[in-house]
Amino acid sequence: MSNQHAQGGAGVPDEPPWTLLSLVPLPVEMVQGLFRDLPLKVVPTNNVRELGEELRRRVDIVLGDWRISSPGLDAASVALMPNLAFVQQPSVGVQSHDADALAAAGIPLCNVAGFNAAAVTEWAVGAALAISRLFRWAEDEMRAGGWPQTEIAQHGSSEVAGRPVGIVGFGPIGQGCARAFAALGCPVTYWSRRQRPPELEFGARFEADISTLVSGSEILINAVALGPQTRGLLESDRLALLPSGALVISVSRGGIVDESAVASMLESGALGGAAFDVYEIEPLPADSALLTAPRERMLLSPHAAGTTTQSSVRLIDGLLANVTRAVRGEPVRDVVNGVSPLVRRRS
């Protein structure tokens, strides 16, 4: 971890320390160590409402929880903290918080944009290769004593190179996937709520109609943020538009791709393979349809596509830098709810 962003001089000497409420599942000592050079008093909790009224009123900053199954700040929680001035989420997704309630209270909500884009891009490419080339099936056959050197082609092993790729969502991860799959000779099309300027398209073609994009994609990548407009976006009827033998790769958030529909399409042979890193319910329930889909053409991972040594360092540096900006009165970065980036202390 780099401490280059916080070398003394933080805050005004005569001011009392800021109170930072930590929702992350880390020992308080670790969080205190991260912000050791800042005038902060760290208070840990699993739920805002568990705190006494006096302590809630002293909260200036909230450090959120990256686990999507954990409660964030809803409107009622925001109302309980009249001095709250800033919320920093240690992830890209912020859907655990009520962004509108925070905006109405004038409280900036920030994420750490793009810190895991390289890692998730690598996972998406690796997943496409693994399910297209039947890595799991080939290994299982070998471990059972076989040697399927020629049978693998008959079983459906196919190249990724040259296959049309459709990307749903075109933030840092979508853009990273566009560059990576283009390098493999794949024509890339993307759908997003807004078209990017040519220099940020990286050779990909914009498609305004998502159904048209899906129908032309032999590899479909879900990289769009979860929100009211995107929940259920890739439902069963839309997935049915995919070409026979297509691959589905989901790396952004659960609740966008219909998991049961994908499992059924794999079972029927309509899909060539699927890979999921994110799920509507996390951890993945034991009765999930994905767990009973044909194993040889399915890759599942525990929401870990973005978790690497390098991305963890970028995340920590991003958190440290933004909280430092907040307590120093400098504009914070990656505000996602439209509030002014200048954090104004209320206590």
Side-chain angles (χ1 to χ4, degrees):
M1 181 188 71
S2 168
N3 282 335
Q4 60 181 326
H5 305 292
Q7 295 298 320
V12 177
D14 294 334
E15 286 187 348
W18 296 59
T19 298
L20 182 144
L21 187 64
S22 175
L23 302 180
V24 298
L26 296 176
V28 64
E29 295 81 7
M30 291 184 65
V31 181
Q32 289 171 334
L34 173 62
F35 300 117
R36 63 182 177 273
D37 294 325
L38 298 179
L40 292 174
K41 177 182 179 181
V42 178
V43 177
T45 188
N46 292 318
N47 191 313
V48 170
R49 301 186 194 189
E50 294 176 353
L51 298 177
E53 179 181 359
E54 182 180 349
L55 183 53
R56 287 198 305 259
R57 294 183 66 84
R58 293 206 305 266
V59 171
D60 301 298
I61 298 171
V62 166
L63 179 64
D65 188 342
W66 60 75
R67 300 171 298 178
I68 66 172
S69 59
S70 299
L73 300 180
D74 57 14
S77 297
V78 174
L80 291 172
M81 296 182 289
N83 290 324
L84 181 61
F86 176 51
V87 177
Q88 175 67 58
Q89 181 64 15
S91 61
V92 175
V94 297
Q95 66 271 17
S96 62
H97 303 298
D98 188 330
D100 292 336
L102 289 166
I107 301 166
L109 168 63
C110 295
N111 66 359
V112 186
F115 80 94
N116 62 353
V120 178
T121 294
E122 288 187 354
W123 191 94
V125 174
L129 292 168
I131 57 181
S132 184
R133 298 294 301 276
L134 300 179
F135 288 170
R136 171 172 280 165
W137 177 82
E139 181 180 0
D140 286 348
E141 290 292 300
M142 285 182 60
R143 290 182 181 277
W147 189 255
Q149 184 176 17
T150 56
E151 293 93 332
I152 193 168
Q154 298 169 352
H155 205 71
S157 175
S158 62
E159 297 173 2
V160 167
R163 302 181 72 177
V165 172
I167 302 174
V168 179
F170 211 63
I173 293 171
Q175 292 169 10
C177 287
R179 294 194 296 271
F181 281 96
L184 292 172
C186 298
V188 178
T189 306
Y190 75 96
W191 174 90
S192 180
R193 285 160 286 187
R194 61 182 177 87
Q195 183 174 2
R196 300 305 194 272
E199 64 271 17
L200 294 180
E201 291 184 308
F202 305 103
R205 179 178 64 85
F206 176 68
E207 173 54 66
D209 182 72
I210 189 168
S211 294
T212 300
L213 176 131
V214 171
S215 65
S217 299
E218 293 186 16
I219 301 174
L220 180 67
I221 301 172
N222 165 41
V224 73
L226 176 64
Q229 294 179 321
T230 60
R231 183 174 291 278
L233 185 66
L234 297 172
E235 39 73 41
S236 58
D237 288 345
R238 188 161 276 151
L239 291 171
L241 300 173
L242 285 164
S244 177
L247 311 180
V248 173
I249 299 171
S250 185
V251 295
S252 60
R253 280 293 186 270
I256 298 167
V257 180
D258 187 327
E259 297 169 12
S260 295
V262 169
S264 296
M265 294 172 73
L266 279 172
E267 196 71 49
S268 70
L271 286 180
F276 281 77
D277 181 57
V278 293
Y279 311 92
E280 186 165 9
I281 300 174
E282 296 183 3
L284 188 64
D287 61 354
S288 169
L290 295 176
L291 293 173
T292 59
R295 184 175 183 273
E296 66 190 43
R297 297 182 181 273
M298 171 65 79
L299 177 65
L300 303 175
S301 71
H303 203 150
T307 305
T308 64
T309 301
Q310 295 89 340
S311 69
S312 297
V313 171
R314 290 192 292 268
L315 173 61
I316 291 170
D317 279 352
L319 293 176
L320 179 56
N322 229 23
V323 174
T324 298
R325 294 184 190 103
V327 301
R328 288 181 173 173
E330 302 169 2
V332 293
R333 297 179 183 174
D334 302 325
V335 178
V336 299
N337 64 339
V339 175
S340 167
L342 280 176
V343 176
R344 304 184 185 282
R345 192 169 191 178
R346 301 181 178 197
S347 56

